[in-house]
Amino acid sequence: MTALTSPRSAGLSGPWGRLSIATKQIVWAWTFLALPVLFFAAVRFYPTLEGFYLSLTDWDLLNEARFIGLDNYRKLFADPVFWQVFANTFAYLVFGTPIAIVLSFAIAYYLDRVTVLHGLIRALYFLPYLTTAAAMAWVWRWFYQPPPIGVINSILGSLGIPAQPFLRSVDQALPAIMLTAIWAHLGFQIIIFMAGLRAIPTSYYEAARIDGLGEGAILRRITIPLLKPTTVFLVVFSSIGFLRIFDQVYNMTSNDPGGPLNSTKPLVLMIYQTAFSSYQMGYAAAQTVVLFVILFSISMAQLWILRNR
Amino acid sequence: MRFATIARLALRRQLLAAAIALGILSSGSVGARAVEIQYWQYVFDTRVQAMSEVIKQFEAENPGITVKQVTFPYADYQTRLIAAKAAGRGPDVMQLFYGWLDTFIAGKLVQPLPKASFKDAEIERDFFPIVSAMKRGGQYYGLPTAVRSMALFYNKDLFQKAGLDPDKPPQTLDELVAAAKAITKRDAAGNFQQVGMALDIARQDHNWWREILLRQYGGESYSADGSKVAYNSEAGARSLEFYTGLQKLHRVGQEGFMDEGQAAFRGGLAGMVVDGTFRIASYKTIQGFKWGVAELPTQDGRKANFGSYFANAIGASATGEKLAAAEKFLAFISSEKAMTIWLDKVGELPARRAVALTEANIKDPIYGPFIRGLDYAATPPMVDEAAQRQVSIDMINTVLLKNTPITEALAAAATREQAILDKFKGK
């Protein structure tokens, strides 16, 4: 501590010396925090604000941005493609999230009871999560091919079921892609659920069994309620993932991205195409703001649910 | 008048002095006066190699000018150009697809070719007529090294197995359908095991329909000045019916079979495919079977083809001695010498008639059909190539996947594409 009484700090002993230790700690904390805060402001908040401004212009990268008010939003809400894309995005969310959660919970619940080769099975489930989305998408794209090369169609064929068009169908393409996205994130969700399951004290279960509760009742009254924080986290995490889905769609439909006939196109892909194929940066910024508002609302809802816990 | 003459003389003298000074300097110390210019193109292995070869020869002939080749992945290419323009560091000479020209002019990425070094009359005499797609308002904005056209690739082995003469590819659309039917194989459940015709809208079939079939049925894709969509017609309906009929009526092929049309052909599971010159290099590596190329089958005796190309243009930011060097380089890469290298290394057709129309090329079993097709090829102006292509893809898909009536699909596409043309004009 004697080292602190250097000539410099002695010189500052006036106002600095009169501060309480708590205040000094706050000053130091903010001094250290200043760098990340400034960095964050520069790379996150400034571009975000700039994005809001751009959404009010007709910037095309080549010419000066011109302020056009809310024209981009008017155009967006009048565009039937936007509403289809909006519906697609919510289809990924509304069907994808519950299926992913129920499936991963069921697997985690039973995997938790498996004692033989537990580690290996867990690793197998987790493996897909380590692979890049593009590589997975291309493998699945091959699975979905029509005969004679498609794997799934050969299996269907051997069972006497007619070949399905999958990615070449306006009705089947979205579920087909959604399934791969669910599968890709399953490993991560299983691991988190298992951690949640292991965190529940075994004494609760013992007490319940002594009281004569059945397995179903234990699941409903103890396991699921106590897993609520884990479930909320995964629901939010997975919702944001589905709302931002891009890689799977882009790679599985790269001949006609988001097709056929926009039936698989999510909002992020529309933003990408508007910005980097058509160079309508202002219009793309407006779409980004819409996506931001949706994501923001979902995050706020998460905070609200957690507070009610 | 007098003052103007004096001023002109004075200017000329100054220019002369400058030229002499420059001459002394450049002969005295070449290294110190060296100009470096940048040439941009997208990454495609054979193109990059061919250009390296052309640059080497150019530098040998023009000491004092060095050319730096900069390449980007195709998907990023336009974005990079635009970003570079925003940063004020664009290329001096760049490659661009002819369909991007209007966008590039509007964005001030390119400048017109100086008439003194690139004379209109010479260009029109020496190059194939499709070069006119680089002309706007009486000014040429670029010149191609190589051009592309379309033809029918066919699998000779499958022709033979189907009892067809492998040396007599179909010459009419009716013959094409008949040959395709003979080659097509399906299993008991009706699934294709082998297609007569590989169909791929996203690759070349949208061009086959819009620029070739449509004309063969007597229609036009756009009005003469390119400002109006013209395919919403009887000919449009008949040609669209023919194309979609290959899958729906004749059942000789299926979109998405083997994922891509070229994959199906390469895999030996497709009898025929319509594709461009740029596919030759890839198909030349096929070892499993013999294949041939034929001029596109006709309808009612009408021939049509789609010519397209990547041109080279001078960047808007090139000025002064960089501009002079860029002009020299552009002249060199559109010279006969460069075109010969391009044909050898890339397999793309020379854009100058004299180099392309040699006896050997016309009779070449592979290049011949493409070169003959160039003479009647059309190259319609495009304002937003990607968006216009998407309109055709969606139109064909609504017919194939949603059973939308032909006329309805055609009308919807025409409306959508007209909006793209109108929006661009309004800029």
Side-chain angles (χ1 to χ4, degrees):
Chain A
M1 290 307 279
T2 46
L4 279 176
T5 43
S6 65
R8 249 181 104 215
S9 61
L12 283 169
S13 69
W16 179 249
R18 278 197 290 278
L19 294 176
S20 71
I21 289 181
T23 320
K24 280 181 185 169
Q25 276 176 341
I26 291 169
V27 171
W28 276 114
W30 276 107
T31 312
F32 282 116
L33 273 176
L35 198 64
V37 165
L38 278 176
F39 180 74
F40 231 73
V43 304
R44 282 283 162 101
F45 302 138
Y46 169 70
T48 308
L49 294 175
E50 186 80 18
F52 280 112
Y53 169 71
L54 276 182
S55 73
L56 305 175
T57 69
D58 68 346
W59 192 41
D60 65 352
L61 271 178
L62 295 164
N63 300 299
E64 282 296 305
R66 198 164 49 93
F67 186 81
I68 53 165
L70 293 173
D71 274 9
N72 281 328
Y73 292 95
R74 259 176 238 130
K75 182 177 160 193
L76 189 63
F77 295 133
D79 184 354
V81 176
F82 169 72
W83 289 110
Q84 180 169 9
V85 164
F86 196 78
N88 291 343
T89 310
F90 272 89
Y92 285 115
L93 172 76
V94 172
F95 296 104
T97 304
I99 295 174
I101 295 294
V102 171
L103 208 59
S104 54
F105 174 74
I107 295 170
Y109 184 72
Y110 288 105
L111 195 57
D112 195 36
R113 298 162 172 228
V114 173
T115 45
V116 189
L117 295 176
H118 175 89
L120 177 74
I121 299 171
R122 202 171 50 173
L124 285 179
Y125 273 111
F126 194 67
L127 261 182
Y129 191 70
L130 302 176
T131 322
T132 57
M136 280 190 295
W138 279 84
V139 171
W140 276 95
R141 179 174 169 162
W142 165 52
F143 285 176
Y144 282 134
Q145 287 301 314
I149 59 166
V151 174
I152 299 175
N153 270 321
S154 338
I155 296 169
L156 290 180
S158 64
L159 297 174
I161 301 168
Q164 298 300 313
F166 295 121
L167 299 175
R168 271 295 295 167
S169 155
V170 282
D171 305 315
Q172 296 178 3
L174 190 140
I177 292 176
M178 187 165 68
L179 209 69
T180 67
I182 292 172
W183 173 80
H185 289 95
L186 215 54
F188 174 77
Q189 289 169 341
I190 290 170
I191 297 291
I192 302 290
F193 263 130
M194 285 187 62
L197 286 170
R198 296 265 156 117
I200 299 172
T202 43
S203 53
Y204 290 15
Y205 291 113
E206 283 157 10
R209 287 203 181 93
I210 290 166
D211 287 349
L213 249 63
E215 286 302 307
I218 291 177
L219 180 67
R220 256 180 293 117
R221 304 228 178 119
I222 298 177
T223 314
I224 292 177
L226 286 174
L227 269 179
K228 193 180 167 189
T230 312
T231 316
V232 169
F233 166 74
L234 283 178
V235 165
V236 171
F237 199 78
S238 149
S239 307
I240 293 176
F242 279 110
L243 283 173
R244 297 199 311 188
I245 189 167
F246 176 86
D247 323 43
Q248 272 92 0
V249 187
Y250 189 73
N251 285 293
M252 290 175 73
T253 60
S254 64
N255 289 335
D256 177 7
L261 297 171
N262 298 318
S263 62
T264 62
K265 194 179 285 178
L267 206 44
V268 181
L269 181 52
M270 188 187 188
I271 294 169
Y272 172 78
Q273 288 180 328
T274 311
F276 299 109
S277 300
S278 310
Y279 302 109
Q280 300 176 357
M281 293 297 166
Y283 193 33
Q287 295 164 4
T288 314
V289 169
V290 170
L291 180 65
F292 172 80
V293 169
I294 297 169
L295 288 173
F296 186 74
S297 321
I298 286 187
S299 303
M300 286 297 112
Q302 168 208 15
L303 287 179
W304 183 75
I305 293 167
L306 279 179
R307 195 183 300 162
N308 270 0
R309 184 154 65 97
Chain B
M1 278 304 278
R2 268 195 95 144
F3 176 74
T5 320
I6 294 166
R8 209 180 304 144
L9 278 173
L11 189 69
R12 201 176 288 170
R13 199 171 302 159
Q14 269 184 355
L15 279 176
L16 196 68
I20 291 167
L22 205 71
I24 292 167
L25 277 170
S26 61
S27 61
S29 52
V30 178
R33 293 296 306 170
V35 182
E36 191 192 86
I37 55 171
Q38 281 201 3
Y39 175 75
W40 284 23
Q41 72 164 332
Y42 67 87
V43 182
F44 190 86
D45 203 31
T46 53
R47 298 173 80 92
V48 176
Q49 282 171 19
M51 189 43 74
S52 302
E53 176 65 33
V54 173
I55 289 173
K56 208 161 61 180
Q57 293 198 10
F58 174 75
E59 286 177 342
E61 280 181 27
N62 295 276
I65 303 178
T66 46
V67 182
K68 192 177 160 207
Q69 182 174 204
V70 182
T71 56
F72 300 106
Y74 184 77
D76 289 352
Y77 186 66
Q78 285 196 67
T79 316
R80 297 285 184 130
L81 269 172
I82 288 166
K85 195 246 173 185
R89 278 197 308 267
D92 302 293
V93 180
M94 73 183 86
Q95 198 173 65
L96 74 156
F97 187 62
Y98 90 91
W100 303 342
L101 182 62
D102 287 302
T103 315
F104 278 28
I105 293 175
K108 300 181 187 72
L109 288 171
V110 291
Q111 53 177 303
L113 303 184
K115 296 232 177 208
S117 358
F118 300 93
K119 295 190 176 62
D120 287 6
E122 282 176 19
I123 293 174
E124 276 143 34
R125 184 191 66 208
D126 296 341
F127 284 79
F128 280 105
I130 60 174
V131 74
S132 63
M134 291 307 284
K135 199 175 191 180
R136 294 288 182 282
Q139 290 271 16
Y140 276 99
Y141 278 84
L143 288 175
T145 303
V147 292
R148 307 157 151 195
S149 61
M150 316 270 283
L152 183 75
F153 288 85
Y154 68 101
N155 183 324
K156 291 189 173 181
D157 290 16
L158 292 187
F159 265 61
Q160 199 145 29
K161 277 181 204 149
L164 303 162
D165 183 348
D167 295 317
K168 279 179 109 181
Q171 299 204 329
T172 65
L173 292 181
D174 290 339
E175 287 176 25
L176 176 119
V177 172
K181 276 185 178 163
I183 294 166
T184 302
K185 275 189 192 154
R186 284 197 296 263
D187 64 12
N191 300 317
F192 284 101
Q193 297 297 305
Q194 180 174 299
V195 295
M197 188 79 209
L199 302 178
D200 196 336
I201 333 170
R203 290 294 177 328
Q204 295 308 320
D205 284 1
H206 66 98
N207 287 326
W208 186 30
W209 171 74
R210 192 179 47 203
E211 313 302 347
I212 297 162
L213 290 172
L214 181 66
R215 251 179 273 279
Q216 293 179 329
Y217 276 94
E220 277 301 330
S221 45
Y222 306 99
S223 63
D225 65 348
S227 67
K228 291 271 177 287
V229 173
Y231 54 67
N232 190 6
S233 62
E234 170 74 27
R238 287 181 60 205
S239 52
L240 184 58
E241 188 137 36
F242 171 79
Y243 178 74
T244 51
L246 290 172
Q247 177 172 325
K248 290 179 73 170
L249 176 70
H250 304 300
R251 303 194 61 205
V252 294
Q254 185 186 21
E255 290 288 344
F257 176 76
M258 297 275 286
D259 199 33
E260 291 175 356
Q262 50 165 321
F265 188 79
R266 275 191 71 99
L269 293 182
M272 293 171 278
V273 66
V274 171
D275 216 325
T277 12
F278 39 84
R279 203 70 68 203
I280 294 173
S282 149
Y283 287 167
K284 272 188 172 168
T285 60
I286 293 176
Q287 303 203 321
F289 58 88
K290 284 197 208 66
W291 53 275
V293 183
E295 267 181 272
L296 290 169
T298 57
Q299 168 70 11
D300 299 332
R302 284 198 198 94
K303 289 181 167 190
N305 208 314
F306 172 49
S308 66
Y309 51 88
F310 274 86
N312 293 297
I314 299 179
S317 57
T319 50
E321 55 184 3
K322 285 207 176 207
L323 177 61
E327 276 176 37
K328 271 191 184 170
F329 184 63
L330 181 64
F332 190 83
I333 55 180
S334 38
S335 70
E336 297 191 4
K337 204 187 253 177
M339 285 177 191
T340 312
I341 296 174
W342 211 260
L343 179 66
D344 284 348
K345 295 229 171 198
V346 189
E348 287 189 330
L349 308 175
R352 281 177 186 272
R353 305 175 68 98
V355 194
L357 299 173
T358 61
E359 192 69 14
N361 281 346
I362 294 172
K363 287 207 174 136
D364 189 283
I366 292 174
Y367 294 120
F370 289 103
I371 289 174
R372 292 195 294 275
L374 267 184
D375 248 358
Y376 51 86
T379 302
M382 292 204 164
V383 297
D384 185 345
E385 193 260 333
Q388 289 174 274
R389 176 179 53 202
Q390 192 64 50
V391 171
S392 297
I393 293 173
D394 288 352
M395 177 191 68
I396 294 169
N397 271 336
T398 53
V399 177
L400 292 178
L401 303 176
K402 289 191 158 176
N403 283 317
T404 307
I406 297 276
T407 46
E408 204 177 293
L410 206 56
T415 312
R416 251 180 88 191
E417 196 167 353
Q418 188 61 53
I420 295 171
L421 297 181
D422 292 346
K423 198 187 94 205
F424 190 84
K425 229 174 145 195
K427 263 190 189 173

